[in-house]
Structure formats: C-alpha cells, structure tokens
Amino acid sequence: MLMQDKIQEARDAIASAEKLLVFTGAGISKESGVPTFREAGGLWEKFKAEDFATLEAFKRRPKEVWEWYRFRRNLARKAEPNPAHYAVAKLETLHDDFMVATQNIDNLHQRAGAKKVLELHGNIMRSYCLKCGHKVDESEHKLEGEVPTCPKGDCGGVMRPDVVWFGEFLDPKVLEQSFKFAAECDCCIVIGTSGVVYPAAQIPVLARRNDACIIEINPEPSALTRIADYFLKGKAGEIMPMLVEENPG
Ligand code: BJW
Ligand code: ZN
C-alpha cells in the first residue's frame, strides 16, 4: 500500500475511534532534542541502563546517578514540545474518550497541553525521599546538594528522582488504568518506542487483543511492529500532524 493511502486509512481509523489510546516512548521527544535510550548515539551508549537506572546503582553511586538525572532534567526543561506532542494534545480535544499512556518522564505531553496523561515511568521533575516518601515537585522546591536530602522536618533522608527503575514496580493505579483503557479501546497509536520494556510494552498488546486498530509511527520497525495494522515509517513530528490536521498536504 502506498504511504499516502496508509496515512489516509489511519486518519480515518483515528477519526472514527470511540475510545482512543496513544502510547508513547522516547522517540516522540527525539525531535525536541531529548535523546532516546537504545539507538546508536542514544543516551545509553555511554550510560548503560543497568548501570544507572536501578536502585542498586543509586545506592552505590548516588552522586553520579544524581548528576545524570540533573543533566537530563535540565535537558527536558529546556526542550520544547514538537509537532507530534501538539498533534497528540489536539487529538485529546477531538475525542471524549481519550488517554495518553507515556513511558516518558520529560513532561513534554503535558507542556503541549495534554491533560489525560498516565505517566508509566514517573516524572523527572519530581523527587521523593527514600526514608519517609515525602514528594517534592521541582517547581515548589529546589533540592540542594550533590545528593539532596529530605526537606521535611528533620527527616534528612536521601532524595531520589521519582522515576521507575529496573526491578521496581510501576504505580499499580497507573498501570491498572493503562491496562484497562488498552483492553477497552478501539484504536491505539504507538509512537516512538522500541517496545522492549515491560510491563509497559504489554499495553498495545492488550489493545490488539480487543481488536483495536494499531497504528505505529517509528522510523524503524520495533518489537511491536508485528501487531500493527498500519506501520507508518517516519518521524513522529512529521507523521503525527498528517494524521490529525483537518486538511493535510
Ligand atoms: C523515533 C524517532 C522519531 C527514533 N519519531 N520514533 C520479561 C518480562 C517482563 C519484565 C521483564 C522481563 N525481563 C526483564 C523484565 C524487567 C524489566 C524489563 O522489561 N526489561 C527489559 C529490558 C527486558 N522491567 C522492569 O524492571 C519494570 N518493572 C517490573 O517489571 O516490575 C516487576 C518486577 C519487580 C521486581 C523484580 C522483577 C520484576 C520497570 C521498567 C522501568 C523502565 N525504566 C526506564 C528508565 C526510566 C527512568 C529514566 O528515564 O531514567 O524507562 S528504562 C527506559 O526504557 C525508560 C523508557 O521509558 C523505557 C522504554 O524505552 P523507549 O521509550 O521505548 O525508548 P527506546 O530508546 O528503547 O526506543 C526509542 C524508539 O524511538 C526507537 O524505536 C526509535 O526507532 C524511535 N524513534 N526517532 C518516532 N523522530
Ligand atoms: Zn523524608
């Protein structure tokens, strides 16, 4: 099928969806200047996932891990949402029954105006105390020190980024809501994810099981391409607006 025809069919499937789910990964933010994880030149060419994104790594080398997260926090803060984030936010205004389930921690969906966002892997703009669980939003409080400590009372516990590391459970409420929405949706757009990290990667599979139309946008095939009805090969920032605009091209 020609790319143009595929885009037209995918547009129709999205427009007629009654319950629409958008599942995103690092690829949607790449055009905003936030590196992905597993591509060549990605974040983890130098920093291996297993070395940095675990609680053991943090306990062993809290200073380095904090340095890495501060660097990425600055990057995310300076980044601007791209046309793909705006197209997703636009879809929310066109569909009553809508949800974004994102693996990203960069806040860019929300900054583009999306409100119905489930953050599967947390948010880099928040931190919490390992000792008492106290949560701190970056906008409310600036955490001081190489390894920041808990600002609540005289707790003094070590603060960590509010993200989900390997071997850690996702927030059960967020995961349950995502799974439920996926199992009931009739259309699922999968954008910019390698689809190898579980349990998140299960989300489009659940949608597929409900016979939802699966539309994938990625410049490269992923582990989820085999379940896609439409694989739209290309950059999210270029393809997504074509799926949402009223008069494309
Ligand atoms: C573009 C583009 C453009 C480029 N436009 N696209 C088997 C079954 C089930 C679980 C496991 C299992 N084996 C191991 C596990 C456990 C593990 C896991 O899944 N490991 C796999 C790697 C095998 N999962 C966990 O540990 C999870 N917890 C869990 O399972 O709890 C239960 C448990 C408890 C105790 C013991 C055992 C189990 C937690 C997973 C947490 C993941 N966290 C991270 C880090 C978050 C914090 C941080 O950012 O620092 O989340 S890892 C990292 O990967 C990050 C991402 O959200 C996640 C997914 O990556 P993503 O988004 O797909 O990025 P990439 O780089 O992989 O792909 C980018 C894509 O974009 C590519 O396809 C490009 O082509 C594309 N692209 N430009 C559109 N312009
Ligand atoms: Zn505390």
Side-chain angles (χ1 to χ4, degrees), residues 20-149:
L20 177 62
L21 175 64
V22 178
F23 175 62
T24 64
I28 195 174
S29 296
K30 188 170 170 184
E31 290 152 86
S32 294
V34 181
T36 59
F37 294 96
R38 292 171 186 83
E39 295 173 278
L43 262 184
W44 289 351
E45 214 167 17
K46 271 181 280 176
F47 299 96
K48 275 208 74 137
E50 290 70 20
D51 293 345
F52 276 83
T54 68
L55 184 61
E56 296 73 50
F58 181 69
K59 287 191 165 157
R60 220 168 35 236
R61 295 188 286 171
K63 230 173 78 176
E64 279 98 329
V65 173
W66 259 113
E67 202 180 315
W68 190 47
Y69 278 96
R70 278 210 183 90
F71 168 75
R72 293 173 58 205
R73 194 181 265 190
N74 278 329
L75 211 65
R77 202 195 290 115
K78 286 193 194 119
E80 293 294 337
N82 69 55
H85 296 107
Y86 287 112
V88 170
K90 174 83 187 287
L91 281 176
E92 180 174 326
T93 68
L94 301 172
H95 292 263
D96 290 335
D97 206 355
F98 177 90
M99 194 59 76
V100 179
T102 187
Q103 300 167 85
N104 300 345
I105 59 173
D106 58 23
N107 225 22
L108 289 175
H109 281 299
Q110 292 90 334
R111 283 176 54 205
K115 300 208 162 49
K116 295 177 180 167
V117 183
L118 295 169
E119 296 176 326
L120 294 158
H121 293 160
N123 190 310
I124 200 167
M125 302 301 168
R126 294 188 304 260
S127 306
Y128 70 88
C129 173
L130 274 182
K131 198 165 143 196
C132 77
H134 177 61
K135 269 198 191 193
V136 170
D137 192 318
E138 194 209 27
S139 61
E140 294 162 17
H141 191 92
K142 249 193 139 41
L143 291 173
E144 311 278 349
E146 286 180 326
V147 179
T149 48

Side-chain angles (χ1 to χ4, degrees), residues 156-176:
V158 169
M159 299 296 286
R160 61 162 278 180
D162 188 6
V163 298
V164 182
W165 284 326
F166 283 115
E168 294 187 320
F169 290 101
L170 281 65
D171 181 326
K173 283 198 222 93
V174 171
L175 188 61
E176 195 195 327

